[in-house]
């Protein structure tokens, strides 16, 4: 069976042009004028773009005494409805648990996925077993390792553990990732705030100001530099963290920053709502920030100092959020956004002129595929690429609401936002996976995507570090061994 997309304008990270796209066997087999196929999808008035890739989700994540409400079934259904055709979720070993054991658990969870997926592996503790298994994880096509610098007492790792893991990543050609917040300071500030009677959700924002994120980002960049490995900073939410990334990039370091659609479009005033539920539903780490920080993130996307837009989709229900009534440190941290990332970014980025259409494709898909070692299989409109595509109607409008969203959560942090720009069709490996407001890809359609280690940045950085490594000065009459 072949499918042809006709009458559309192709938009990629670097080109905009009119052409038809012919698909067979799940891949793009031709791009050009006057193509024909058995099934015809009309893209009149639409843009044909690579499907979104969300590099940061937590589906059915065990966290803070509960599990995030969206699993791979509802989460990937939400993804397709919003034009996202692939997610990268975090496999999370409990401290002391083996990486391969955790991977088995995530393999099982993901069997229900409606769209393609991959995993990052979290390093939540350090030891010989982790060192050894990292190699096996990379051999399975999981080429990125996440480190939490926050969540003291559960997921947090210390600098020595991060340094050991980053050096291992350098050897394996993998990309270390960090959740950058100073967990020691956050823990102490939380205790003090609670003792002073700041028990509501606003206490969460007070406990983790932008400085703690800026410090941790800077520290992680230094550790990666010492280890000789690139670094990916997740959920970059503030100017201080962006500044650290910007400075590192200007100094030739290989660092990528990932703002979330939530931080770009929602601000800290949400935490001061008199409605406890409203404020608690928005509790996530890092917290939402003010306009100064939001402007910095938008500028970073436009200038290229920030590289990807993600969701960190980690949805909880109102009932789950209420675990933290009377103590903000017990409110499960996380918000949803999988269905809304692309429409929100288009509406607030492209239609306002803060981003070009090509930049939109770069930060939602192509950059992610390149950094994560799966380009051009994913993130491209090219012959031979997987036909993960969106036929994007820039005139289509809707009002975001929990009443009509796919997520299992009973609310939506973007409730009431009117978005312009929606998928008319979403294709997953050539299959029409979303059409006319309905997800049509069956449960289990999603496949695991193995990624390739030793990307160009890892290789270049290894060469440079080898060339500039410290060398002893040879002095006449003084033996180098010191004997
Ligand atoms: O609050 C958040 N971000 N929850 C999900 C876990 C994480 O830190 O990414
Ligand atoms: Zn995080
Ligand atoms: Zn996360
Ligand atoms: Zn389903």
């Amino acid at each position: 069976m072949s499918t042809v997309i006709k009458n559309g304008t192709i938009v990629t990270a670097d080109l905009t042009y009119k052409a038809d796209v012919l698909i067979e066997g799940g891949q793009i087999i031709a791009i050009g004028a006057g193509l024909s196929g058995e099934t015809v999808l009309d893209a009149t008035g639409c843009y044909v773009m690579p499907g979104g890739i969300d590099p940061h989700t937590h589906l059915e994540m065990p966290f803070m005494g509960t599990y995030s409400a969206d699993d791979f079934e509802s989460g990937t259904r939400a993804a397709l409805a919003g034009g996202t055709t692939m997610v990268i979720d975090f496999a999370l070993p409990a401290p002391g648990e083996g990486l391969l054991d955790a991977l088995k658990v995530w393999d099982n969870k993901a069997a229900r996925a409606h769209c393609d997926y991959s995993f990052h592996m979290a390093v939540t503790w350090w030891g010989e077993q982790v060192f050894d298994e990292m190699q096996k994880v990379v051999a399975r096509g999981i080429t990125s390792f996440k480190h939490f610098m926050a969540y003291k007492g559960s997921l947090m790792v210390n600098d020595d553990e991060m340094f050991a893991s980053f050096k291992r990543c350098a050897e394996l050609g993998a990309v270390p990732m960090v959740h950058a917040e100073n967990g020691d300071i956050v823990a102490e500030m939380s205790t003090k705030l609670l003792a002073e009677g700041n028990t509501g959700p606003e206490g969460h924002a007070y406990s983790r100001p932008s400085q703690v994120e800026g410090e941790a980002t800077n520290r992680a960049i230094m550790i990666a530099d010492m280890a000789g490995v690139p670094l990916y900073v997740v959920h970059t939410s503030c100017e201080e963290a962006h500044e650290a990334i910007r400075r590192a990039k200007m100094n030739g370091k290989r660092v990528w920053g990932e703002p979330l659609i939530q931080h770009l479009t929602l601000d800290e005033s949400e935490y001061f709502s008199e409605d406890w539920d409203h404020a608690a539903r928005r509790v996530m780490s890092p917290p939402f920030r003010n306009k100064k920080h939001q402007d910095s993130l938008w500028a970073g996307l436009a200038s290229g100092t920030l590289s990807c837009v993600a969701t960190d989709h980690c949805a909880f229900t109102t009932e789950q959020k209420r675990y933290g009534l009377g103590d903000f440190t017990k409110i499960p941290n996380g918000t949803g956004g999988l269905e809304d990332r692309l429409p929100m970014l288009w509406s607030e980025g492209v239609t306002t002129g803060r981003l070009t259409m090509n930049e939109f494709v770069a930060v939602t898909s192509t950059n992610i595929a390149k950094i994560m070692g799966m380009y051009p299989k994913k993130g491209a409109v090219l012959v031979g690429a997987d036909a993960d595509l969106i036929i994007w109607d820039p005139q289509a409008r809707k009002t975001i609401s929990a009443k009509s969203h796919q997520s299992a959560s009973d609310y939506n942090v973007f409730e009431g936002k009117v978005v312009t720009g929606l998928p008319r069709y979403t294709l997953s490996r050539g299959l029409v996976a979303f059409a006319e407001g309905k997800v049509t890809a069956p449960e289990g359609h999603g496949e695991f995507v193995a990624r390739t280690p030793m990307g160009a940045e890892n290789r270049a950085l290894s060469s440079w570090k080898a060339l500039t490594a410290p060398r002893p000065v040879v002095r006449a009459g003084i033996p180098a061994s010191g004997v």
Side-chain angles (χ1 to χ4, degrees), residues 94-412:
E97 188 188 6
L99 309 188
L100 299 175
D101 286 340
L103 209 45
K104 276 190 209 139
V105 177
W106 258 261
D107 281 337
N108 284 337
K109 292 184 207 246
R112 298 181 65 197
H114 289 262
C115 72
D116 286 359
Y117 58 90
S118 186
F119 305 123
H120 310 285
M121 176 56 67
V123 173
T124 55
W125 60 288
W126 189 250
E128 203 179 318
Q129 185 185 359
V130 176
F131 178 92
D132 290 342
E133 290 190 357
M134 281 174 79
Q135 186 167 28
K136 299 191 173 92
V137 168
V138 170
R140 263 211 51 189
I142 295 161
T143 58
S144 40
F145 292 87
K146 166 83 170 285
H147 307 77
F148 291 92
M149 301 171 80
Y151 306 128
K152 189 173 180 178
S154 58
L155 300 171
M156 178 170 143
V157 284
N158 294 323
D159 290 359
D160 55 343
E161 297 170 310
M162 276 208 301
F163 189 41
S165 174
F166 284 21
K167 284 189 289 183
R168 186 65 170 143
C169 286
E171 284 166 7
L172 298 171
V175 175
M177 310 169 80
V178 284
H179 168 138
E181 289 182 300
N182 186 316
D184 288 318
I185 303 296
V186 170
E188 289 232 6
M189 300 225 292
S190 301
T191 306
K192 182 167 183 285
L193 283 158
L194 287 174
E196 290 168 351
N198 281 297
T199 59
E202 66 284 3
H204 176 79
Y206 297 146
S207 72
R208 37 215 326 147
S210 54
Q211 293 93 320
V212 302
E213 186 183 343
E215 183 280 327
T217 304
N218 211 41
R219 182 157 39 101
I221 289 169
M222 179 278 290
I223 295 172
D225 189 30
M226 296 301 109
V229 73
L231 178 70
Y232 185 99
V233 184
V234 305
H235 49 45
T236 303
S237 76
C238 64
E239 162 56 15
E240 287 89 333
H242 179 200
E243 186 206 5
I245 293 166
R246 210 163 54 219
R247 191 170 55 241
K249 277 183 168 302
M250 295 310 132
N251 287 326
K253 298 184 174 70
R254 306 291 183 171
V255 182
W256 298 288
E258 171 208 81
L260 306 183
I261 190 62
Q262 295 93 318
H263 288 121
L264 286 161
T265 61
L266 302 171
D267 70 38
E268 65 180 4
S269 63
E270 308 273 4
Y271 300 118
F272 302 103
S273 167
E274 288 184 8
D275 176 354
W276 190 95
D277 283 340
H278 180 100
R281 286 163 171 168
R282 281 134 183 102
V283 163
M284 66 167 300
S285 298
F288 300 162
R289 309 288 191 192
N290 65 27
K291 188 171 182 308
K292 176 191 93 173
H293 296 295
Q294 294 181 312
D295 285 345
S296 170
L297 301 182
W298 283 107
L301 292 174
S303 67
T305 52
L306 298 173
S307 308
C308 313
V309 175
T311 62
D312 191 6
H313 187 100
C314 188
F316 293 101
T317 62
T318 304
E319 199 189 329
Q320 290 175 303
K321 290 283 184 179
R322 287 184 184 162
Y323 296 169
L325 269 169
D327 179 350
F328 71 82
T329 65
K330 296 194 167 54
I331 302 171
N333 285 204
T335 59
L338 258 171
E339 187 170 349
D340 311 310
R341 178 180 63 135
L342 266 53
M344 282 295 294
L345 191 71
W346 186 274
S347 296
E348 306 232 355
V350 179
T351 67
T352 61
R354 286 202 269 207
L355 295 179
T356 67
M357 295 193 293
N358 310 92
E359 286 162 352
F360 173 89
V361 172
V363 300
T364 57
S365 184
T366 306
N367 290 355
I368 299 160
K370 287 181 179 171
I371 295 166
M372 292 299 161
M374 52 186 176
Y375 184 82
K377 175 180 169 65
K378 301 292 186 189
V381 184
L382 286 174
V383 171
D386 281 0
D388 283 6
L389 297 167
I390 32 183
I391 299 173
W392 188 260
D393 183 347
Q395 307 300 336
R397 278 163 82 85
K398 76 167 185 187
T399 304
I400 295 176
S401 175
K403 291 194 184 77
S404 49
H405 74 189
Q406 303 283 338
S407 166
S409 179
D410 58 319
Y411 62 90
N412 188 310

